[in-house]
Amino acid sequence: MVNWKDHSLLWNQAMIQVMDVRYNKMESKEQLRGYRLPSSAFIYSMYGSAQVWLDGNVNIVSRFHILHGGKGTHLDIEAEEEFAYFLILYKAALPQLCRRELQLLLERVHPFQLQYAFAPQYPIDLLDKAKQMLKEWEHSEALEKLHVKILFYQFVYDLLRQMYRQGIEASKPDLAAQVIRYLNDHYRETISLDSMAELLNYSPQYLSRKFKELTGRSPIDFLIRLRIDKAQELLVTTEATLQEVAASVGYPDLFYFSRMFKKYVGTAPGHYKKSMLIKEKVHDPANEGLKSSIVNRALQRYIDSGNENHYQYREGGEQLMFRKKKLSMAATVLLCAALLLSACGAGNTGNGGTSVPSPSQQSISEQAPAQTPAAAETTRSYTDTQGNVVDIPVHPKRIVMQGNIAGDFWALGIEPVGLDHRFIEGKETLYKQNNPAEDIGFPTNFEKVLSLDPDVIMLGYMMEKQYEEASKIAPVVVFDQAMPLKERLPVIADLIGKKEEAAQWLADYDRQAKAMWQDLLAQGKVKDGETAVVLIYYWDKSMYLMKKGGLADLLYQADGLKMDPAVEALHPLGDSPYISVTEEVMHDQLIGDHLFVLYPSNEDAKATFDELLKTPLWSALPQVKNNKVYFVDTKLNYTDALTSEQLLDELPKLIAQ
């Protein structure tokens, strides 16, 4: 039952703004289709008869009938004979500082969004006020606009009084049906929760909460599933490219479309199309009737200007309402039948009841993959080293890794699908038991990454805008690849679901390293308390002292060689892990019983390094005189687990030479 006391209270407290007053005349059999009310509105028929649909619910209207619909209501009219009516558009809102009780009452009752249609007992007074409003509205002076507002209040007062006396029941619009209809009509466009809430005259929070109560999912989730459903149809029934399909369902960004598609369907769009085409090789007559919807039909919209005066237009620019002549009686019968079926599917709006989704709406819900408890357990929330919170698979299968620690994955029995091959070139012997992943290039080629269909992308370092680009394809996790192996491997293992394997690998590594140093001590190759220093040499003759990472980490283990206090006191400039060394200061910085030299095994580096070996400064180094210099290929200086294992095997051989 309508509580007229509540309605009167809200009308009395609301700030009212008349947005437009129009008079429209339609010829016999003329149609108005797809007009969405830009604000709350009264429709008052002057003469003639027509069928009028409010959100798909049909009303048979003759002279002196009044209809009301809220902002966002979908209006269709079909004139049975010449039909004339007034359209009075208005906006109502409570003052911002009104009592909380009124705000709650507005959410519960919202008289400005109600839908109703009836024939008043005393229509002439209402007709006179509508005519006066139209006459005054045609003047631009502020005084006449004030008079329109006064007349509007009188119109509403008389209308509500007659509704009360006649026992007219108003019904709340089916919010879920309104949203679903809007999304079906506009899924190709950019849509946000805020824009839908504004269109339907609700707060975003209320719209989202009520829609989820009625459908079990959020409006945006419903939109995504609807778009993916449409995309699946296009992929199977057209020859459109992935970019064309993406754009036609509202995703101009192909990377983001592919990520959404995979999330909801379980496979990339290209793979889906191929698999479905294989299935469709068996002739199915039912598929012959499917038509492509990739070409946008003409959509009707309204302009929302700063003063909130709204005008309908077609894509060609024609203002006011879009009309078209009825082509045939058969077309009308089919159209009416479709609309009546839609109305039945949308549910009865009487008594504020909620609706049952139409068959087309149900198919959307049923075809979209539901988030079952079992499915929910396949992902988890993860916070990376940059503070980004992202949902990642519990056990990712297709990993793209940007960085130089691929050996961490291989040591744990995981084969990435994409890597930067710069970091594995020339290491065929090191990775001979593995099948290197495809090359993602440098800078990272994200089209290539997209083609690999990853379920997670791991970034050991980041370049400008890379996180944004990668996030359009798959969940992205950022980590610091420069962390020491013992700190980094548990992080990697946690990401890929290999915690136990990582713990076991580290325990085995420590045991083997300890055994190696004990063997070297027993053989007399090193002595207890001896020191070591690490120099890295580049082809351009630049030299750096290394205190950590790769080879240094293994040398300076608890059971290994020590770092001289003079070397320990040296510190790099800035964030660099390296300390610059020149020929002039070699004797002051390269202090240690053993000198380990890292240099690239290429011709340029070898040529310049040979020049250094011939200098008196080099020959005078204590380690050179004592034959305690060891040359190590820089390929063995990576900090990943697999390289560390290889270095563990090679180091005793180097020292024994």
Side-chain angles (χ1 to χ4, degrees), residues 456-512:
V456 67
I457 299 172
M458 298 184 181
L459 303 180
Y461 64 89
M462 279 199 302
M463 299 176 68
E464 186 179 3
K465 296 183 178 180
Q466 282 197 331
Y467 187 89
E468 178 183 346
E469 289 297 311
S471 295
K472 296 173 183 177
I473 302 173
V476 178
V477 173
V478 182
F479 64 95
D480 183 6
Q481 68 177 21
M483 286 189 293
L485 174 62
K486 291 184 179 181
E487 297 177 18
R488 187 186 64 247
L489 193 63
V491 173
I492 299 298
D494 181 31
L495 287 167
I496 62 179
K498 294 280 188 177
K499 285 185 177 182
E500 293 183 3
E501 291 86 342
Q504 184 62 53
W505 187 94
L506 288 171
D508 291 344
Y509 178 82
D510 285 342
R511 178 179 51 78
Q512 292 171 23

Side-chain angles (χ1 to χ4, degrees), residues 207-272:
L207 177 66
S208 181
R209 184 177 75 251
K210 294 300 294 183
F211 188 86
K212 194 165 186 177
E213 287 177 4
L214 295 169
T215 67
R217 64 186 64 173
S218 71
I220 297 303
D221 183 55
F222 188 95
L223 171 62
I224 294 172
R225 291 170 189 266
L226 172 61
R227 286 171 166 172
I228 298 304
D229 183 68
K230 299 291 185 181
Q232 288 178 275
E233 179 182 339
L234 291 174
L235 288 169
V236 175
T237 62
T238 74
E239 294 300 318
T241 66
L242 293 184
Q243 183 66 65
E244 289 170 338
V245 171
S248 73
V249 297
Y251 291 116
D253 192 306
L254 178 59
F255 291 153
Y256 187 72
F257 164 70
S258 297
R259 177 180 175 183
M260 289 294 101
F261 191 95
K262 182 183 176 184
K263 179 178 180 180
Y264 284 86
V265 180
T267 186
H271 294 168
Y272 174 82

Side-chain angles (χ1 to χ4, degrees), residues 35 75 95 98 102 107 112 122 137 162 188 197 214 236 246 257 263 266 272 310 355 384 399 420 505 532 571 630 650:
Y35 180 77
L75 174 66
C98 69
L102 283 176
E107 285 193 358
F112 320 114
Y122 306 100
W137 188 259
Q162 292 199 51
R188 298 178 179 89
L214 295 169
V236 175
F257 164 70
K263 179 178 180 180
Y272 174 82
H310 303 274
S355 69
D384 67 17
I399 301 168
D420 181 351
W505 187 94
H571 296 287
Y630 315 98
E650 296 295 326

